[in-house]
Amino acid sequence: CAMLPIVEELYPSNEEQTEKILTYSTFFNTEPQVGSIVVGITAGMEEARANGEPVDDETINGIRAGIGDSLVVGTLLPILLGIALGLSGGGSPLGAIFYILVWNIGMFLIMRFMYFKGYELGGKAVELLVGEKANAIRDSIIMLGTMVIGGVTASWINITTSFQMLGSDGSVIVD
């Protein structure tokens, strides 16, 4: 459990630790990279609760949701793989090296940033994750990813058919 070290640090007695860690025994599904913000938010809220602020278990459990799949798997991965495939033309290892370095370094930095940002925001991050502005940003990123994937597909795939479109004068418009 990602919260165990935090609970052990915040609560001195074993009874309190046991009680608080049970809050985190329920399953939740989230994307691992962007989901680090959920752990950061939860850590910030647990610290606030340990300091006497009113935070109930339902508030903590309510923020744990599956976020990030459309952003990472649907947008970032196809973009990185498209660039890597372009660099791999002619059997070059540059594409694989590019992908491994950019993915691992990028994800380390993103996860670290997201965790600490979530911790800093605590309960205020709920509006950031599910608010109207967040939905607009998420939709914009998904649209960008869709356009990039379409552009990569159009530049890499060539299909020939026997279809011909003829103009009114009998000339071939599309072959």
Side-chain angles (χ1 to χ4, degrees), residues 20-79:
K20 299 306 179 188
I21 204 67
L22 287 176
T23 304
Y24 306 105
S25 63
T26 58
F27 175 77
F28 79 100
N29 185 25
T30 189
E31 198 277 330
Q33 287 79 27
V34 179
S36 62
I37 195 170
V38 174
V39 178
I41 293 167
T42 306
M45 292 174 71
E46 188 63 54
E47 184 178 46
R49 178 164 65 175
N51 291 331
E53 292 182 33
V55 177
D56 61 352
D57 291 348
E58 288 182 23
T59 304
I60 289 176
N61 286 326
I63 60 136
R64 300 189 294 175
I67 60 171
D69 287 333
S70 58
L71 300 178
V72 174
V73 177
T75 304
L76 184 60
L77 275 177
I79 291 171

Side-chain angles (χ1 to χ4, degrees), residues 157-161:
I157 296 176
N158 186 14
I159 298 174
T160 56
T161 65

Side-chain angles (χ1 to χ4, degrees), residues 70-141:
S70 58
L71 300 178
V72 174
V73 177
T75 304
L76 184 60
L77 275 177
I79 291 171
L80 287 178
L81 288 172
I83 294 169
L85 287 171
L87 293 172
S88 295
S92 172
L94 287 177
I97 293 168
F98 166 82
Y99 178 77
I100 290 168
L101 289 176
V102 170
W103 174 257
N104 287 308
I105 293 170
M107 285 303 108
F108 172 77
L109 295 174
I110 288 171
M111 289 173 69
R112 186 172 172 83
F113 171 77
M114 297 291 270
Y115 176 83
F116 286 111
K117 194 55 149 173
Y119 178 79
E120 175 187 316
L121 293 172
K124 294 180 278 187
V126 175
E127 179 59 31
L128 179 73
L129 293 175
V130 296
E132 194 174 308
K133 289 180 183 177
N135 289 335
I137 291 169
R138 195 173 309 121
D139 290 344
S140 300
I141 292 171

